[in-house]
């Protein structure tokens, strides 16, 4: 099996759950080879960017544009990969290497665009869809309730038989919950949110340095 990026991408990249075991194998090699000197491990840096920009907006590799579904599939695979790598470090290497393992998140900070209750709720919802998407599972074992509710309802309205946001089986919820010794944060900017603004506003934000109005609806 080839482990270079192109070979893995030809198999679907982070849309293919085969990468979970491949990532675990890679993590084992790294822990075993460098763990006597490296004491702080980050499984993924800015998973939101990997999945949203790479598989949703297409502005990063592999350049796939499918914001409705593929970012969620990517995120699901990434989170399972993190959980497996973390539990590997926790059970095999941490007791003898005395290091720590965690994950680093990317997030914008969202403030309400007004004092209206619906805009306050929109800002909180935006935080859950961005920071909570990857943080909530490694802390509590599952996606934020608002993500499950909104994506599930929208999927149903679209006539889909299941939510575009995949479901974690119980074994993965157990593996994910508490899978962190530390939590890193990449934060670059703060934006305002208004309730009910269409999705294209979000897209425009990522390509326009002067845009500061975004929301999750």
């Amino acid at each position: 099996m080839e482990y270079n990026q192109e070979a893995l991408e030809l198999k679907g990249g982070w849309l293919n759950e085969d990468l979970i075991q491949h990532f675990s194998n890679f993590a084992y090699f790294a822990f075993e080879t460098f763990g006597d000197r490296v004491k702080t491990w980050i499984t993924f840096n800015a998973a939101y960017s990997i999945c949203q920009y790479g598989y949703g907006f297409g502005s990063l590799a592999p350049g796939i544009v499918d914001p409705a579904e593929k970012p969620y599939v990517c995120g699901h695979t990434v989170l399972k990969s993190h959980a497996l790598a973390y539990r590997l470090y926790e059970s095999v290497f941490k007791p003898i290497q005395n290091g720590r393992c965690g994950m680093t998140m990317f997030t914008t900070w969202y403030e309400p665009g007004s004092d209206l209750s619906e805009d306050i709720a929109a800002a909180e919802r935006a935080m859950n869809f961005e920071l909570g998407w990857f943080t909530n599972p490694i802390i509590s074992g599952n996606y934020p309730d608002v993500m499950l509710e909104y994506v599930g309802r929208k999927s149903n309205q679209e006539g889909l038989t299941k939510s575009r946001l995949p479901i974690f089986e119980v074994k993965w919820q157990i593996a994910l919950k508490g899978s962190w010794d530390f939590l890193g944060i990449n934060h670059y900017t703060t934006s305002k949110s208004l309730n009910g603004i269409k999705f294209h506003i979000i897209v425009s934000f990522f390509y326009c340095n002067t845009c500061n109005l975004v929301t999750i609806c």
Side-chain angles (χ1 to χ4, degrees), residues 159-211:
L160 302 177
T161 58
K162 61 180 181 180
S163 175
R164 288 182 280 104
L165 182 64
I167 302 299
F168 287 118
E169 300 91 337
V170 173
K171 68 175 184 178
W172 284 111
Q173 293 183 28
I174 294 171
L176 279 161
K177 186 175 182 179
S179 61
W180 60 294
D181 299 324
F182 68 92
L183 181 66
I185 296 290
N186 292 324
H187 170 66
Y188 302 102
T189 189
T190 298
S191 297
K192 292 184 178 181
S193 295
L194 294 174
N195 183 60
I197 305 300
K198 297 300 182 181
F199 187 79
H200 71 272
I201 298 287
I202 304 175
V203 177
S204 71
F205 167 76
F206 291 104
Y207 293 92
C208 175
N209 292 331
T210 62
C211 297

Side-chain angles (χ1 to χ4, degrees), residues 13 15 23 45 50 78-79 90 112 125 156 169 192 207 216:
L15 305 180
F23 187 79
N45 177 59
I50 295 170
V78 165
L79 282 163
E90 178 187 52
R125 198 158 63 243
N156 183 64
E169 300 91 337
K192 292 184 178 181
Y207 293 92
I216 301 294

